[in-house]
Amino acid sequence: MAALPLATAELCDANPHLLSNGELRALHPTFQIYGRRQVFSGPVATLKVFEDNVLVREFLEEKGNGRVLVVDGGGSMRCAILGGNPVQQAQNNGWAGIIINGCIRDVDEINGCDIGVRALASHPMKANKKGFGEKHVPVNMAGTRICDGEWLYADTDGILVSRSELTV
């Protein structure tokens, strides 16, 4: 039987020392909740793009193995860098979740997928397709630095990032 997902509030309560030394960080509460999976966690894969979704799609075509894709889209509110088709592919490839510091589109389709998605908002315009961006680099978003290989925990209370996998 799979372990029950860890609640972010319980993780904070059980790890005050990690919060005080910065090994456990809470993202600012700026993200909207999408997708059917409201609670998810996993090791982080990072991506930095701006108004371009080619690398986002490439990542989600890979096997996710329970990872969470964290995409720093620069906070752009001018177009969506994630849509329904890549989210469906991410679900099928075993990704646990996707965090987008930017916009998504095809919200109804995404909300039908069994995957966790967080984004700033939705926007009907699609992104550029030039393939610009950086994979597996530290990103700064929602008040914290997130590195490839860290662990992310998300539920309806918020999003936490830890340098290592946590237990309660």
Side-chain angles (χ1 to χ4, degrees):
M1 184 163 147
L4 292 174
L6 299 175
T8 57
E10 288 179 21
L11 286 172
C12 288
D13 293 350
N15 295 287
H17 60 291
L18 296 179
L19 288 166
S20 65
N21 70 16
E23 290 185 37
L24 178 62
R25 286 115 41 223
L27 275 65
H28 292 170
T30 58
F31 295 95
Q32 303 297 313
I33 297 173
Y34 303 97
R36 284 199 339 244
R37 193 178 300 175
Q38 298 211 348
V39 179
F40 61 93
S41 64
V44 169
T46 59
L47 179 58
K48 188 173 188 173
V49 298
F50 188 74
E51 297 180 359
D52 189 314
N53 71 349
V54 171
L55 296 180
V56 176
R57 292 181 75 97
E58 284 179 9
F59 250 108
L60 298 176
E61 289 170 357
E62 299 174 10
K63 291 293 180 199
N65 300 315
R67 292 180 293 166
V68 177
L69 180 60
V70 175
V71 181
D72 181 2
S76 174
M77 303 295 265
R78 298 189 308 191
C79 67
I81 57 172
L82 182 69
N85 289 337
V87 171
Q88 181 70 45
Q89 182 136 37
Q91 171 194 283
N92 296 342
N93 285 338
W95 288 86
I98 307 164
I99 310 291
I100 301 287
N101 184 28
C103 294
I104 64 168
R105 68 185 207 161
D106 306 321
V107 170
D108 291 340
E109 189 176 340
I110 290 170
N111 284 341
C113 293
D114 184 23
I115 188 168
V117 176
R118 301 292 189 273
L120 299 178
S122 61
H123 198 294
M125 288 176 49
K126 65 182 178 180
N128 294 316
K129 306 227 180 294
K130 296 179 180 171
F132 296 143
E134 299 175 88
K135 297 179 178 183
H136 306 292
V137 295
V139 296
N140 290 295
M141 54 191 246
T144 194
R145 178 181 166 113
I146 305 169
C147 296
D148 210 69
E150 292 189 306
W151 278 76
L152 185 139
Y153 301 88
D155 63 13
T156 53
D157 283 335
I159 303 170
L160 297 174
V161 175
S162 172
R163 289 199 183 133
S164 58
E165 187 174 7
L166 299 176
T167 58
V168 175

